[in-house]
Amino acid sequence: MEGETFGEIFSSFRQKKGYTVKETAENIVSVQFLRRFEKGESDITLTNFYELLNRINVSFEEFMFESQKDSVDAMVENIEQQLDQFLFEQNTLKFRRLIDYLDENYIRTGNKRYKHISVVAQGMYDHYFFETYRPDSKELEDYLLQCETWGKYEFFLACYSTFLFNNETLVILAEQSFRRKVKSRSTRHYFIDFYLQVCQKLIRKDDCDIADRLLKKYETEEDIRPILQYLSFNVFAKYLRGLLQIKKGDERGREVCEQIINFFDKSIDYQGYASGLHRLYLKIYMESPLVVK
């Protein structure tokens, strides 16, 4: 809905609800005025706007949530880009400045989004650099567990905070997210990324039976598995399956993992990513029944 006026968003709601312009406007505003408002050509009083929303059975909160989606998505994409860049650069100073910025904006506006993202950034700083902030993630955890409708913002929070939550919470969030039918492709990327990150963490923490169950659910999901757009995720899922095989002492897992690591390293020159996969593979392998103690 990028660039849409309130009137245009209202028009979209009205049509989805099945109301005509005449039915909606009756005894509130003229039909001609409503048409101009929906085209973004006229402003409207708050009283009349509330009455029109009530006529089409849309709450003000629901309307505002929809109208702010684009701004929230833009905020998420901007923050994600900064976090990834600072992490790649190993730039602790920029990380701390971003955290200060988020905290200051939360104090100034009271907007909980700044607080949530600050907790995520603090957790990343502690995890990848120095244990400095020790953020309290309880409020963020409660928000994700209780939020019924997940968009890009919620999946972003979940993706970047897997190390803040225990395995039990992560499994609940993963199963809840899988039950949601995510229509937006960009949002679905966040969902898949989060889901497979949970599987990876469970494997690393030796919760292999649960990881196996979650991975099987992913492997049999027809809306994901055969689509070319999700190829990189599906390759990563095969890598995780290989790790599980290694954990069980199955030699075939080594071949799977090494093929995938070589693919990223030599075929498409993703050496940094391949290196990360290789480090985890070696750790899992050296602790597996395949290595004679």
Side-chain angles (χ1 to χ4, degrees):
M1 289 190 175
E2 187 172 0
E4 287 188 317
T5 65
F6 274 18
E8 290 169 323
I9 298 171
F10 178 87
S11 176
S12 177
F13 269 115
R14 175 183 60 75
Q15 293 176 59
K16 288 176 183 177
K17 296 283 186 176
Y19 287 87
T20 66
V21 172
K22 183 177 179 180
E23 289 171 335
T24 306
E26 188 175 4
N27 297 326
I28 302 175
V29 295
S30 69
V31 171
Q32 293 80 3
F33 176 85
L34 181 55
R35 287 193 174 123
R36 291 199 303 274
F37 170 65
E38 290 190 343
K39 291 178 182 179
E41 297 173 356
S42 295
D43 205 350
I44 191 171
T45 67
L46 190 58
T47 301
N48 285 343
F49 185 56
Y50 267 107
E51 290 187 23
L52 289 172
L53 286 175
N54 187 56
R55 176 67 54 80
I56 64 173
N57 296 316
V58 173
S59 70
F60 183 72
E61 290 75 17
E62 183 181 1
F63 180 88
M64 291 306 296
F65 175 81
E66 191 69 22
S67 69
Q68 293 173 9
K69 269 187 176 178
D70 284 326
S71 61
V72 174
D73 286 357
M75 177 185 183
V76 164
E77 291 170 7
N78 179 47
I79 293 293
E80 179 185 22
Q81 184 177 17
Q82 291 186 66
L83 290 173
D84 289 347
Q85 179 183 343
F86 300 162
L87 189 60
F88 176 77
E89 296 172 351
Q90 296 288 291
N91 196 319
T92 58
L93 182 58
K94 288 184 178 179
F95 238 103
R96 294 174 72 95
R97 285 175 179 168
L98 176 61
I99 292 168
D100 290 342
Y101 164 82
L102 294 167
D103 289 343
E104 289 166 4
N105 274 274
Y106 171 64
I107 293 171
R108 181 176 58 84
T109 66
N111 188 329
K112 286 292 183 68
R113 292 193 185 102
Y114 289 112
K115 185 175 184 180
H116 291 160
I117 298 174
S118 176
V119 169
V120 170
Q122 290 175 40
M124 290 180 67
Y125 187 94
D126 284 4
H127 182 75
Y128 291 108
F129 302 120
F130 314 104
E131 192 171 350
T132 302
Y133 293 98
R134 299 180 180 84
D136 183 356
S137 60
K138 185 64 168 61
E139 185 175 332
L140 176 61
E141 179 180 333
D142 289 343
Y143 171 77
L144 291 174
L145 287 170
Q146 295 168 14
C147 184
E148 294 183 3
T149 304
W150 277 31
K152 187 179 291 186
Y153 171 71
E154 286 75 24
F155 280 114
F156 160 77
L157 292 176
C159 267
Y160 280 79
S161 58
T162 53
F163 42 81
L164 289 173
F165 306 138
N166 61 38
N167 287 4
E168 182 181 357
T169 297
L170 287 175
V171 171
I172 293 172
L173 291 174
E175 290 179 332
Q176 286 180 350
S177 68
F178 206 97
R179 289 195 295 269
R180 296 181 173 95
K181 294 300 179 181
V182 182
K183 295 181 180 179
S184 165
R185 287 193 174 185
S186 61
T187 303
R188 186 174 288 193
H189 272 74
Y190 282 94
F191 150 62
I192 298 173
D193 190 9
F194 167 63
Y195 192 86
L196 294 180
Q197 281 190 48
V198 173
C199 292
Q200 176 181 268
K201 184 176 181 183
L202 291 171
I203 293 171
R204 295 180 67 172
K205 297 296 184 180
D206 291 323
D207 282 342
C208 295
D209 290 341
I210 301 175
D212 183 48
R213 173 167 58 83
L214 293 181
L215 203 53
K216 282 178 180 175
K217 188 178 292 187
Y218 177 87
E219 291 166 340
T220 56
E221 177 54 50
E222 290 298 325
D223 290 340
I224 297 173
R225 184 170 49 80
I227 299 179
L228 184 61
Q229 185 180 9
Y230 306 129
L231 178 61
S232 60
F233 290 117
N234 294 337
V235 171
F236 183 60
K238 288 186 179 296
Y239 168 80
L240 294 178
R241 174 58 64 192
L243 292 182
L244 280 173
Q245 289 176 308
I246 292 172
K247 283 274 189 179
K248 296 177 180 179
D250 188 339
E251 186 69 34
R252 291 173 297 178
R254 287 191 64 193
E255 182 179 352
V256 169
C257 289
E258 289 174 1
Q259 285 178 346
I260 291 171
I261 292 167
N262 286 332
F263 167 74
F264 282 110
D265 180 30
K266 298 178 181 178
S267 298
I268 59 176
D269 202 27
Y270 276 24
Q271 295 177 350
Y273 186 67
S275 178
L277 295 181
H278 188 248
R279 286 195 299 272
L280 178 58
Y281 157 71
L282 285 180
K283 182 178 186 301
I284 298 297
Y285 173 69
M286 294 305 295
E287 297 172 353
S288 75
L290 294 173
V291 176
V292 179
K293 303 295 183 181

